[in-house]
Amino acid sequence: MWSKLAYSILKFRVTLMVILAAITVFMGYQSQNIKWSYDLANIVPEKDPDMVYFRQFRSTFGEDGNIMALGIQDSSVYQLENFRKFSELTHRLEGKEGIRNVLGLPNLQKLEKNNQKRAFELRPIFEEVPQDQKTLDSLITGARSLKFYSGQLINAENGATLLLITIRKEILNSKNRDQLVDFIINQGKKFEEESGIDVHFAGLPYSRSITTSKVKDELNMFLVLSLIVTGIILFLFFRSFKAVFFPLIIIGVVVIWVMGTIALLGYKITLLTGLIPPIIVVIGIPNSVYMLNRYHHEFNEHGDQMKALSRIIRKIGVVTFITNLTTAVGFFVLATTQINVLVEFGIVAGINIMATFIVSIILIPGVFSLYKPPSQKHLKHLKFKMLDWVIKKIDIAVHTMRPAIFILTIAVVAVSAVGLSKIKAVSYMVDDIPEKSPLKKDLRFFEENFSGVMPLEIIVDTGTKKGVQNLKNLRKIDEFENFISSIDGISQPISVVSFAKAARQAYYNQREAFYSLPINRDMPFIMRYLSEGETEELSQSFIDSTGRYVRVSLKIADIGSSKLDSLVNGVIAPQIDSIFVDSKMDVNVTGTTLMFIKGNKFLIENLLTSMLIAFFIIALIMALLFRNVKMIIVSIIPNIIPLLITAGIMGYFGIPLKPSTALIFSIVFGISVDDSIHFLAKYRQELFAKKFDVSKAISKSIRETGSSMIYTSIILFFGFIIFVLSEFGGTIALGKLTSITLFFAMITNVVVLPALILQFDSGKRDGKHPLIENIPELAEGIDEDGKPKKKKSKKTN
């Protein structure tokens, strides 16, 4: 089969290259339709009970993650001229299309009792900006006396204040969001310049917009960097511009196919799919390295260019196919996670890794057949003295120091296992942004002054229609809110309870002492005023249309998944059970923050499951290749050790298990096993050629395959290490840990794998023909009965 394929590729090389060019043009055209994702990634399955409840909450009360906050902590904002500028900023934002409302000190409203109408009316505290400082001070003092806003808009201790900007839902998940957020930021910066007062920004719309913008920038940066880095390494190895240019052309073609695939499948570019092009560059280059290295080896042996190119396809084509398949498996298994962002990432990456094989197997032999054979200058890398010295030392160590290798390996595994036990799974809402970034600094401002800006919602089901009007129910909710207020890192709750308290304060002419729930005596009067007033729209945000469900809205610091889980399940849930035990009310915690954290936990679990699936599938592939349990174990062990080492490093250095780090294991396992397959394929060939002498077969395999393994590992190491230049913590972790894992995988496959084979493989066969013996790479040394071919004796004159 592979001989016919080699013949066909070389005979119809021009036609095939034209077809590839046509497909590339088509994919390039399709890529024009590609779109960026502006949605908050939905990680929790749609049928999950918590997700179902969260969707019901949003349909009843609206979005909870659509608020952007501007924060100020500078007493000079209360000076007349600066307050005027602050008021102008507020009104500019109010007038912007896409903003539903703005809530801040300059446009603050208070409930006011109208005795004639026997109703409450909403009246602005500042009808206009006062003309003198004394009047302004008086009005600000009045605003601070409204306890409804205390801890929400005004920090009573240091005077810090907020502008809360609610963005319309239709804008929130569209490309117009970034333009709107940019407008808000620019207006805030303009106020900074005019007043000299620092403005801090936060909120999910803000962090999502910043993230999307940086993903766009980094997509281009990493694509360019990966091409430059791999190009430089290829030139250093092969000392030929052709050996650099054409592999990069191959990768360029596949990158276009990646973008076309995303568009054709109707996917959008996310933080994950945005990483596929540079990952394809890094993973795809080893195909070219193995093929070019083999081409040069073959040509150096017999000097026949077409024969050498034919043997690239015939001798290593199937091996390269299998290695690409195992790498693709590491990505394809992500499609089993039920998580859209991972499914899309896995499918697109898996398809195009296999596409890389097709493009490589056609273009490398096809293009190089049109050029002159390699010169001696281009073949120098075959006798690279330093590399030869390293490989010889490895060969000697494998043969003479096996006990030391095994002892060292066991020691490293044991130390890594201890580190593995120290790993903790923690993720944050703003997880990928560096600690020194303005976004993180601003987030700390809001956490220190207003207990954070991350939304957390509690829904109280009173159990009956209009149950919200039951004073007994309100007192239970008030007791619960008082408990919540006592917890560090959680803001003062806003609900119908705080609204009722504000109404009572207004009923008694804004006296602070009356900011409490109505009592039996004044409840009928206050309810009458509320029912006749202008407050219906405000109350609808916290009570459903039936009066049965009550929303308690909180803001929380970004404390991380572990602490949030402990807080909700270990602190809040027991208190809910205690307070509401004798009532008919049912209380549930929900909100964007909780769903995000639960989603990350679900994501990690699914990634670990996908790694086990990848492990099983790859083990199955190895079983089909070798049909020998001993060889399957021997081939898997060197690829598990690097994963354990990486897990140990994570544990010792406090690197948490989160989506970006959990993703590494299934991907790297699929990549690292490639070296094992290449080495074992070569070993089986040499085993027959050396008449089942395991020692000689190992030596020859190390010397011929070792250089390619080292070349590709260096490319992979530097290709992934470029991701440390990212501004996202998850991408940095992906780059560091993947590079480290692949580095150790190179060592285990070049040193531990041959040592294990020497220790456990006798070289004898039980009569069965494993599939790997039918690989064309091995065919030359084996006859039809699976026995070594006898060499023909040379005729002498």
Side-chain angles (χ1 to χ4, degrees):
M1 173 188 169
W2 289 91
S3 296
K4 292 179 180 178
L5 183 64
Y7 173 78
S8 300
I9 287 174
L10 290 172
K11 182 178 180 181
F12 302 107
R13 56 189 181 276
V14 176
T15 304
L16 290 171
M17 285 189 279
V18 170
I19 292 171
L20 289 181
I23 294 172
T24 305
V25 169
F26 172 74
M27 287 296 199
Y29 176 77
Q30 291 297 322
S31 66
Q32 297 177 86
N33 302 320
I34 207 163
K35 295 178 181 178
W36 288 84
S37 174
Y38 295 93
D39 300 326
L40 189 63
N42 187 12
I43 298 172
V44 181
E46 291 295 324
K47 294 182 181 179
D48 182 86
D50 289 334
M51 176 54 74
V52 172
Y53 191 84
F54 179 56
R55 286 204 308 273
Q56 290 173 349
F57 157 77
R58 286 195 300 188
S59 66
T60 303
F61 296 106
E63 292 284 339
D64 67 328
N66 60 340
I67 294 176
M68 182 171 169
L70 273 62
I72 294 172
Q73 186 184 5
D74 192 327
S75 59
S76 64
V77 75
Y78 301 113
Q79 295 173 5
L80 187 60
E81 186 57 34
N82 285 335
F83 190 81
R84 181 176 288 108
K85 292 171 183 174
F86 190 39
S87 180
E88 290 170 358
L89 167 64
T90 304
H91 294 312
R92 285 198 301 271
L93 293 173
E94 282 182 313
K96 179 65 176 176
E97 186 180 354
I99 293 177
R100 195 174 77 192
N101 59 56
V102 179
L103 182 61
L105 194 57
N107 67 350
L108 210 58
Q109 292 185 315
K110 63 179 179 179
L111 279 177
E112 205 168 79
K113 182 176 64 173
N114 187 322
N115 288 325
Q116 290 183 340
K117 296 181 179 179
R118 291 193 174 186
F120 287 119
E121 296 175 338
L122 287 169
R123 292 285 180 265
I125 295 175
F126 300 91
E127 297 281 357
E128 59 182 8
V129 178
Q131 297 299 311
D132 58 87
Q133 187 67 44
K134 185 178 180 180
T135 305
L136 176 62
D137 291 342
S138 176
L139 290 172
I140 289 173
T141 301
R144 286 181 171 177
S145 71
L146 300 176
K147 296 190 72 174
F148 180 82
Y149 296 112
S150 180
Q152 298 292 339
L153 291 176
I154 305 167
N155 185 315
E157 295 179 1
N158 59 23
T161 187
L162 295 180
L163 276 181
L164 297 177
I165 304 157
T166 305
I167 297 174
R168 293 188 181 279
K169 181 181 178 181
E170 59 270 22
I171 299 294
L172 192 64
N173 296 324
S174 73
K175 63 181 180 181
N176 296 325
R177 182 196 64 207
D178 291 347
Q179 297 172 1
L180 182 58
V181 170
D182 285 343
F183 172 81
I184 295 170
I185 293 170
N186 291 334
Q187 292 301 315
K189 296 294 183 185
K190 182 180 179 182
F191 171 75
E192 272 188 345
E193 293 173 3
E194 293 174 347
S195 63
I197 297 171
D198 290 336
V199 177
H200 303 273
F201 304 91
L204 286 180
Y206 174 64
S207 60
R208 288 170 59 190
S209 180
I210 294 296
T211 299
T212 302
S213 176
K214 289 186 181 297
V215 168
K216 289 180 180 179
D217 293 339
E218 290 193 355
L219 171 61
N220 296 323
M221 179 185 77
F222 286 133
L223 187 55
V224 171
L225 277 177
S226 59
L227 289 170
I228 291 172
V229 168
T230 51
I232 290 171
I233 296 172
L234 280 172
F235 183 76
L236 290 175
F237 286 163
F238 294 108
R239 304 299 175 113
S240 166
F241 286 107
K242 284 188 292 185
V244 174
F245 181 71
F246 291 111
L248 293 185
I249 287 293
I250 290 169
I251 294 305
V253 166
V254 180
V255 166
I256 293 171
W257 287 23
V258 167
M259 306 308 283
T261 305
I262 293 173
L264 284 171
L265 293 175
Y267 298 158
K268 295 179 181 179
I269 295 184
T270 62
L271 180 60
L272 277 179
T273 52
L275 291 175
I276 295 176
I279 286 176
I280 285 290
V281 172
V282 176
I283 293 176
I285 285 295
N287 283 349
S288 300
V289 171
Y290 274 109
M291 289 183 181
L292 288 173
N293 208 32
R294 190 53 181 256
Y295 171 45
H296 288 170
H297 266 293
E298 290 287 344
F299 183 79
N300 191 50
E301 279 187 17
H302 48 68
D304 188 327
Q305 183 185 23
M306 293 307 290
K307 183 179 179 181
L309 290 170
S310 176
R311 286 189 173 184
I312 290 178
I313 305 166
R314 186 166 60 84
K315 296 181 73 174
I316 67 169
V318 71
V319 179
T320 307
F321 172 77
I322 293 169
T323 56
N324 277 255
L325 179 62
T326 55
T327 301
V329 164
F331 288 92
F332 274 133
V333 292
L334 299 177
T336 66
T337 59
Q338 305 176 48
I339 300 170
N340 288 340
V341 288
L342 280 181
V343 171
E344 293 174 6
F345 177 69
I347 289 174
V348 173
I351 288 172
N352 286 283
I353 285 168
M354 296 312 298
T356 306
F357 165 75
I358 295 170
V359 176
S360 301
I361 205 75
I362 292 172
L363 285 188
I364 290 289
V367 167
F368 279 86
S369 69
L370 303 176
Y371 283 87
K372 293 179 180 178
S375 65
Q376 285 303 311
K377 180 182 73 174
H378 301 144
L379 301 177
K380 277 186 178 180
H381 70 92
L382 299 176
K383 297 179 181 179
F384 184 26
K385 290 183 179 179
M386 184 178 292
L387 184 60
D388 279 349
W389 180 83
V390 169
I391 289 174
K392 285 177 183 177
K393 291 294 182 184
I394 290 171
D395 187 22
I396 292 169
V398 166
H399 282 82
T400 62
M401 302 174 65
R402 281 203 310 283
I405 290 171
F406 294 147
I407 291 169
L408 181 61
T409 302
I410 292 168
V412 168
V413 168
V415 172
S416 298
V418 175
L420 173 63
S421 67
K422 298 176 183 290
I423 289 182
K424 295 180 180 179
V426 182
S427 54
Y428 294 84
M429 285 287 284
V430 185
D431 199 15
D432 283 333
I433 305 298
E435 286 298 321
K436 296 182 180 179
S437 71
L439 195 155
K440 272 288 180 74
K441 290 178 181 177
D442 283 350
L443 185 62
R444 281 193 289 270
F445 165 83
F446 289 96
E447 290 177 348
E448 290 167 3
N449 292 282
F450 297 97
S451 300
V453 291
M454 301 303 171
L456 188 66
E457 305 288 343
I458 296 170
I459 306 301
V460 180
D461 177 4
T462 62
T464 58
K465 188 176 181 180
K466 295 187 178 180
V468 69
Q469 295 180 12
N470 186 320
L471 189 56
K472 185 180 178 181
N473 289 344
L474 292 181
R475 285 173 180 163
K476 284 284 186 183
I477 297 171
D478 185 36
E479 182 185 352
F480 176 65
E481 287 188 8
N482 289 333
F483 167 74
I484 291 292
S485 300
S486 68
I487 302 173
D488 290 336
I490 298 183
S491 71
Q492 183 79 22
I494 298 180
S495 72
V496 66
V497 169
S498 46
F499 190 62
K501 290 179 179 180
R504 188 167 189 259
Q505 184 180 2
Y507 186 77
Y508 289 102
N509 301 314
Q510 303 300 347
R511 282 182 282 178
E512 290 186 60
F514 287 92
Y515 184 78
S516 61
L517 277 175
I519 57 178
N520 291 329
R521 184 182 63 190
D522 54 26
M523 181 72 170
F525 302 103
I526 292 173
M527 291 305 296
R528 187 186 310 141
Y529 272 67
L530 281 172
S531 63
E532 297 295 331
E534 303 172 348
T535 58
E536 182 179 356
E537 184 179 349
L538 186 62
S539 63
Q540 281 178 349
S541 299
F542 300 99
I543 309 169
D544 80 311
S545 58
T546 67
R548 173 175 172 172
Y549 295 94
V550 176
R551 173 188 182 184
V552 180
S553 189
L554 312 165
K555 296 290 183 290
I556 188 170
D558 192 11
I559 57 177
S561 56
S562 181
K563 289 183 179 178
L564 182 62
D565 187 59
S566 299
L567 177 64
V568 171
N569 296 308
V571 179
I572 295 177
Q575 198 67 24
I576 289 173
D577 293 339
S578 174
I579 292 172
F580 296 96
V581 64
D582 296 326
S583 71
K584 295 180 180 179
M585 291 187 281
D586 184 40
V587 182
N588 289 281
V589 184
T590 187
T592 299
T593 302
L594 194 66
M595 296 312 299
F596 180 85
I597 297 301
K598 178 171 183 176
N600 275 358
K601 184 178 179 181
F602 183 80
L603 186 61
I604 291 169
E605 291 172 355
N606 275 266
L607 283 171
L608 294 177
T609 301
S610 69
M611 187 196 76
L612 293 175
I613 294 171
F615 176 84
F616 174 77
I617 293 172
I618 291 170
L620 187 61
I621 292 171
M622 301 300 264
L624 290 172
L625 286 174
F626 296 104
R627 296 179 186 174
N628 183 314
V629 175
K630 191 186 295 183
M631 289 302 291
I632 294 167
I633 295 171
V634 163
S635 64
I636 293 294
I637 287 174
N639 297 293
I640 293 177
I641 294 170
L643 301 183
L644 285 173
I645 293 172
T646 300
I649 290 170
M650 289 172 62
Y652 286 118
F653 288 91
I655 301 171
L657 186 66
K658 54 185 179 179
S660 53
T661 52
L663 184 65
I664 294 165
F665 294 96
S666 60
I667 293 175
V668 171
F669 184 72
I671 297 173
S672 65
V673 81
D674 292 356
D675 281 342
S676 297
I677 293 171
H678 274 289
F679 184 87
L680 289 168
K682 183 64 179 173
Y683 166 68
R684 297 298 292 192
Q685 175 192 353
E686 294 301 330
L687 191 61
F688 284 96
K690 303 300 180 187
K691 298 182 180 179
F692 301 106
D693 188 322
V694 174
S695 179
K696 289 181 180 178
I698 287 290
S699 292
K700 190 74 183 294
S701 300
I702 291 174
R703 292 177 188 233
E704 289 200 12
T705 312
S707 59
S708 292
M709 292 165 69
I710 292 172
Y711 284 167
T712 55
S713 296
I714 290 172
I715 290 172
L716 288 167
F717 179 86
F718 285 103
F720 276 102
I721 205 70
I722 62 171
F723 290 122
V724 301
L725 300 175
S726 172
E727 291 191 48
F728 296 103
T731 309
I732 293 170
L734 179 70
K736 280 182 182 177
L737 295 176
T738 302
S739 296
I740 290 169
T741 311
L742 290 172
F743 173 76
F744 283 113
M746 174 191 71
I747 294 173
T748 55
N749 276 301
V750 175
V751 178
V752 178
L753 176 60
L756 286 170
I757 295 172
L758 274 172
Q759 186 70 32
F760 296 106
D761 188 21
S762 64
K764 296 178 181 178
R765 200 178 58 198
D766 57 7
K768 296 180 181 178
H769 288 262
L771 184 62
I772 198 166
E773 289 182 7
N774 296 320
I775 293 176
E777 183 179 13
L778 312 178
E780 285 192 351
I782 311 168
D783 64 18
E784 292 179 357
D785 297 321
K787 297 178 181 179
K789 286 183 179 179
K790 295 180 181 179
K791 291 184 179 180
K792 294 179 181 179
S793 58
K794 292 182 181 180
K795 291 182 179 181
T796 55
N797 293 327

